[in-house]
Amino acid sequence: MICLISPNPRTPVVAITEIVKIAQWMTYTLMGLLALISYIFMTQNIHKHMKNIGILKALGIRTAQILWIFVSENIVFSLVVTVVSIIPIEILIHWMNLYIKTSFNLPFAYLKSTGGLYMSSFILLMTVMILGILHPILKMSFMKPIEIIRKYKI
């Protein structure tokens, strides 16, 4: 553990590793919230299109093809969300580095963003959204097309 004493004797001793742990916790919490919001978005999107899915099934489209429609939409949405999230993550890392530099009078930036962070957020989003897609699609695959159309009138 790297522990530095603040130049001001009235301020408490603070460990940089604790600040890094807090930053990591904040990052993973934000990623989890983003995944939850994405899950809700995807399930609502599927329920909104259930009548269309029933019509597609009546036309003879297989469930796997319908699933692929939503998975491809999921891929595009996850890429857009990951790219858009890069900006706030970089700003947060910059602010945390400024805090560390000013609090401890350090000449270097301690926190760095990596491609692994962005890749893990993309994989998390994909996993959560695919799980969110599978349940309604598999539930709908056991129903007859006319039942789907009648049940989900819009």
Side-chain angles (χ1 to χ4, degrees), residues 35-49 67 69-75 77-78 125 128-134 136:
L36 179 66
I37 291 168
S38 300
Y39 173 81
I40 292 168
F41 167 78
M42 217 51 211
T43 54
Q44 286 182 351
N45 189 28
I46 289 174
H47 284 291
K48 188 170 71 173
H49 293 290
L67 183 64
I69 291 170
F70 286 100
V71 167
S72 60
E73 182 180 337
N74 172 21
I75 291 170
F77 182 74
S78 296
L125 277 172
V128 167
M129 291 178 73
I130 287 175
L131 291 175
I133 291 170
L134 282 177

Side-chain angles (χ1 to χ4, degrees), residues 5-154:
I5 298 174
S6 175
N8 186 351
R10 294 182 188 182
T11 59
V13 175
V14 180
I16 291 180
T17 54
E18 294 301 318
I19 293 172
V20 171
K21 286 180 185 177
I22 291 170
Q24 288 173 343
W25 180 83
M26 287 172 46
T27 302
Y28 293 129
T29 302
L30 289 173
M31 285 172 47
L33 287 173
L34 187 61
L36 179 66
I37 291 168
S38 300
Y39 173 81
I40 292 168
F41 167 78
M42 217 51 211
T43 54
Q44 286 182 351
N45 189 28
I46 289 174
H47 284 291
K48 188 170 71 173
H49 293 290
M50 278 300 215
K51 185 175 180 181
N52 296 339
I53 291 170
I55 292 169
L56 289 173
K57 280 190 64 97
L59 292 173
I61 304 292
R62 294 179 306 174
T63 303
Q65 292 171 321
I66 294 171
L67 183 64
W68 177 247
I69 291 170
F70 286 100
V71 167
S72 60
E73 182 180 337
N74 172 21
I75 291 170
V76 171
F77 182 74
S78 296
L79 280 172
V80 168
V81 167
T82 302
V83 169
V84 169
S85 69
I86 289 173
I87 296 168
I89 288 173
E90 289 298 325
I91 291 171
L92 179 65
I93 289 172
H94 178 71
W95 285 346
M96 292 295 288
N97 280 331
L98 285 176
Y99 174 74
I100 291 171
K101 283 180 185 180
T102 56
S103 296
F104 301 111
N105 295 325
L106 296 176
F108 60 89
Y110 193 75
L111 302 174
K112 292 183 254 179
S113 61
T114 62
L117 175 68
Y118 303 122
M119 186 57 80
S120 65
S121 67
F122 177 73
I123 290 171
L124 176 70
L125 277 172
M126 290 291 297
T127 304
V128 167
M129 291 178 73
I130 287 175
L131 291 175
I133 291 170
L134 282 177
H135 179 261
I137 296 289
L138 290 177
K139 179 180 152 186
M140 176 265 327
S141 69
F142 293 109
M143 297 172 72
K144 294 180 182 177
I146 193 70
E147 290 175 14
I148 297 171
I149 295 170
R150 283 185 185 157
K151 186 176 180 179
Y152 295 100
K153 291 181 185 177
I154 296 177

